[in-house]
């Protein structure tokens, strides 16, 4: 192949022969800007090797004090707090999932054909999801007072928008032929949704709700730190008085509880999804 042919191909497809000088300069400038931003962030937060070393030394001391873990004298309060966290997660997830089902149909493109209304519903979901669960907990603690009720309301509010969005996507991906068959046989649009779409997406909805229940069990521990009840309150109290052995026991109890819930919900999700795939094949 002659040099003129190569040069002509280079002019036609310059990217195939490597980056141009302008592209290389842009990459170098981008890399330099990233390093400058990273260095500025370290300076802004006063991240120094000395602070990191002192922090690791303090963490090592805490870990030594955690061994051996001990439930302490108030072990019944720990078990009660763990039960509260599980109950908060269960109630909040169930209520959020039930409310999210009808809202999800309003956000599905194949159900609500009015673009402006559907867009408004979706943006409402995004707005609620944009506020962290911990912020909702702080707001509800001020509104209803300390205790598990604030935690339950925070879980409901934060999960409601996320589940509604996930459910809407599942509804949009449902096979429309079943709903069309019901309408063709004389059924109403509501019957098409009830018997043509809902049976397809219901296993997915339940599986996602089970996953959120598991996740909320972990989140409930954090909510308790801000006064929303649960095991987090027990952790915060023991950290204040530096009872690190009891903190270690609570952490192990949380890990065991979440592991059991994860095992049970995982098996239920597999059965639900497997049953749905089998029904789809038939």
């Amino acid at each position: 192949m002659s040099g003129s042919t190569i040069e002509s191909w280079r002019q036609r497809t310059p990217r195939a022969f490597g980056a141009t000088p302008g592209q290389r300069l842009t990459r170098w400038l981008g890399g330099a800007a990233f390093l400058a931003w990273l260095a500025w962030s370290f300076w802004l937060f006063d991240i120094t090797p000395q602070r990191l070393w002192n922090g690791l030394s303090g963490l090592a001391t805490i870990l030594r004090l955690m061994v051996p873990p001990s439930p302490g004298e108030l072990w019944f309060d720990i078990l009660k707090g763990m039960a509260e966290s599980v109950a908060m997660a269960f109630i909040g997830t169930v209520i959020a999932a039930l409310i999210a089902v009808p809202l999800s149909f309003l956000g599905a493109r194949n159900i609500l054909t009015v673009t402006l209304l559907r867009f408004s519903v979706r943006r409402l979901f995004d707005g609620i999801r944009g506020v962290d669960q911990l912020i909702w907990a702080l707001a509800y603690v001020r509104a209803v007072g300390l205790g598990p009720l604030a935690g339950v309301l925070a879980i409901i509010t934060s999960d409601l928008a996320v589940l509604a969005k996930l459910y809407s996507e599942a509804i949009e991906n449902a096979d429309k032929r079943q709903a069309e068959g019901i309408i063709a046989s004389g059924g109403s649009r509501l019957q098409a949704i009830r018997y043509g779409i809902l049976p397809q997406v219901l296993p997915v909805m339940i599986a996602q709700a089970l996953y959120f229940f598991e996740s909320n069990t972990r989140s409930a521990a954090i909510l308790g730190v801000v006064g929303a009840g649960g095991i987090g309150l027990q952790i915060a109290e023991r950290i204040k008085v530096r009872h690190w052995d009891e903190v270690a026991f609570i952490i192990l109890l949380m890990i065991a509880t979440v592991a059991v819930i994860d095992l049970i919900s995982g098996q239920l999700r597999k059965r639900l999804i497997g049953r749905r795939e089998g029904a789809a094949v038939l």
Side-chain angles (χ1 to χ4, degrees), residues 23-91:
Q23 290 174 335
R24 287 195 292 268
L25 178 61
T26 302
R27 292 174 183 175
W28 278 103
L29 290 176
F34 172 76
L35 292 177
W37 174 79
L38 188 63
W40 177 79
S41 299
F42 272 67
W43 172 82
L44 180 65
F45 299 134
D46 193 21
I47 301 176
T48 61
Q50 182 179 2
R51 288 193 65 190
L52 291 174
W53 176 255
N54 292 337
L56 291 175
S57 300
L59 180 61
T61 302
I62 292 174
L63 292 176
R64 286 197 299 269
L65 294 175
M66 284 184 171
V67 180
S70 171
E73 297 180 357
L74 302 177
W75 57 270
F76 181 77
D77 291 341
I78 295 176
L79 296 180
K80 180 182 178 182
M82 193 69 246
E84 279 186 0
S85 293
V86 175
M88 286 165 53
F90 179 76
I91 296 173

Side-chain angles (χ1 to χ4, degrees), residues 75-152:
W75 57 270
F76 181 77
D77 291 341
I78 295 176
L79 296 180
K80 180 182 178 182
M82 193 69 246
E84 279 186 0
S85 293
V86 175
M88 286 165 53
F90 179 76
I91 296 173
T93 305
V94 169
I95 296 177
L98 291 176
I99 300 175
V101 172
L103 292 179
S104 62
F105 285 97
L106 297 178
R109 186 179 295 106
N110 56 338
I111 301 298
L112 187 62
T113 57
V114 182
T115 305
L116 180 60
L117 182 56
R118 186 181 66 252
F119 178 83
S120 302
V121 173
R122 284 294 188 101
R123 298 296 73 80
L124 176 62
F125 294 163
D126 293 339
I128 297 176
R129 289 189 302 115
V131 181
D132 188 74
Q133 192 177 80
L134 193 61
I135 305 301
W136 287 116
L138 288 170
Y140 282 123
V141 165
R142 286 298 186 106
V144 301
L146 300 173
L149 177 58
V152 171

Side-chain angles (χ1 to χ4, degrees), residues 51-282:
R51 288 193 65 190
L52 291 174
W53 176 255
N54 292 337
L56 291 175
S57 300
L59 180 61
T61 302
I62 292 174
L63 292 176
R64 286 197 299 269
L65 294 175
M66 284 184 171
V67 180
S70 171
E73 297 180 357
L74 302 177
W75 57 270
F76 181 77
D77 291 341
I78 295 176
L79 296 180
K80 180 182 178 182
M82 193 69 246
E84 279 186 0
S85 293
V86 175
M88 286 165 53
F90 179 76
I91 296 173
T93 305
V94 169
I95 296 177
L98 291 176
I99 300 175
V101 172
L103 292 179
S104 62
F105 285 97
L106 297 178
R109 186 179 295 106
N110 56 338
I111 301 298
L112 187 62
T113 57
V114 182
T115 305
L116 180 60
L117 182 56
R118 186 181 66 252
F119 178 83
S120 302
V121 173
R122 284 294 188 101
R123 298 296 73 80
L124 176 62
F125 294 163
D126 293 339
I128 297 176
R129 289 189 302 115
V131 181
D132 188 74
Q133 192 177 80
L134 193 61
I135 305 301
W136 287 116
L138 288 170
Y140 282 123
V141 165
R142 286 298 186 106
V144 301
L146 300 173
L149 177 58
V152 171
L153 294 175
I155 292 174
I156 293 173
T157 307
S158 61
D159 284 5
L160 176 63
V162 181
L163 286 173
K165 181 178 183 297
L166 294 175
Y167 291 175
S168 296
E169 294 175 351
I171 292 170
E172 290 177 349
N173 294 324
D175 187 0
K176 61 181 181 181
R177 291 176 296 180
Q178 298 184 25
E180 291 175 348
I182 294 174
I183 293 177
S185 62
S188 64
R189 183 171 178 80
L190 183 60
Q191 290 174 330
I193 295 174
R194 168 61 182 87
Y195 298 103
I197 294 179
L198 187 59
Q200 296 184 61
V201 299
L202 188 59
V204 177
M205 290 179 173
I206 297 176
Q208 290 172 342
L210 287 171
Y211 172 77
F212 270 73
F213 170 51
E214 169 204 333
S215 177
N216 287 330
T217 304
R218 296 190 298 266
S219 301
I222 305 300
L223 298 180
V225 176
V226 298
I231 195 65
L233 181 61
Q234 303 296 327
I235 295 177
E237 290 178 350
R238 282 155 180 80
I239 289 177
K240 289 180 181 178
V241 296
R242 301 180 183 275
H243 289 177
W244 297 111
D245 54 341
E246 297 182 20
V247 173
F249 177 81
I250 295 174
I251 292 174
L252 293 177
L253 180 62
M254 290 171 53
I255 293 174
T257 303
V258 172
V260 172
I261 294 175
D262 177 51
L263 180 62
I264 296 174
S265 62
Q267 294 297 325
L268 291 174
R269 286 196 300 269
K270 288 180 181 179
R271 292 187 61 182
L272 290 169
I273 298 299
R275 185 179 301 174
R276 176 177 179 269
E277 292 177 349
V281 173
L282 293 176

